[in-house]
Amino acid sequence: MILGTNKVQQLIKENNLVEGLCERELNNPESIVIDLRLNKLFKLKGKGFLGIDERQTPKVEELASYNSDNKSSYILKPGEYLIAETIEKINVPKDVFVLFKPRTTLHRMGIIMRGTIADPGFGGILHPAIYNAGPCEVEIELGARFFQCFFVKIDGESVSYRGQWQGGRVFTEEKEKQV
């Protein structure tokens, strides 16, 4: 069951479900979702590897970063694929998991975003992929609301997340053994 606005707001206040929310999301959320804002953009560099027991992500180069004192934006070119980072941090309780979708405004500009679920027990900032599949350049202001969270109640037992992405790191430093 997807949690309603009142339940999400209660979890934010009582359990610190989402840290760093802007005033709009704290006091006047739109529908049942919480919008997250764009903090950083990264370009992938090098080579990645996914094996049976080990993995290594490509390194990243930071292209843009949000500064509340200085508005800035990034122009996403057609065919460009980046890793984004949210300003907000989520703290998922053991009886909830989180689904993510881009804001519909981005669909209307040719932007495709991918984010995985946030498992029960996960805590950290998020790093969705953002890809310009359209024919036009798209300018995105750092700090803009770009990614939405849906909070889903788990019926039954769950296992808390114990993976290596806990905390919200962007990439692996070197080849590592998978948990």
Side-chain angles (χ1 to χ4, degrees), residues 148 154 164 173 179:
Q148 299 178 321
I154 297 169
Q164 293 157 301
E173 293 288 337
V179 175

Side-chain angles (χ1 to χ4, degrees), residues 1-4 15 28 34 36-37 43-44 49 55 58 66-67 77 82 96 120-121 131 137 158 165 170:
M1 168 182 16
I2 294 176
L3 297 178
N15 298 81
N28 189 25
I34 293 293
L36 303 180
R37 296 168 293 154
K43 177 181 179 178
L44 298 175
F49 171 76
R55 66 167 165 223
Y66 173 68
N67 178 342
K77 295 169 189 62
L82 302 175
V96 171
Y131 175 68
E137 291 183 343
S158 69
W165 301 106
V170 184

Side-chain angles (χ1 to χ4, degrees), residues 10 25 30 43 51 54 64 74 80 88 104 119 128 130 136 146-147 154 157:
Q10 181 180 350
E25 293 305 304
E30 188 175 326
K43 177 181 179 178
E54 295 181 313
Y74 183 86
E80 191 170 19
E88 296 80 7
T104 58
D119 291 303
I130 184 166
C136 305
F146 76 119
F147 205 43
I154 297 169
E157 288 186 39

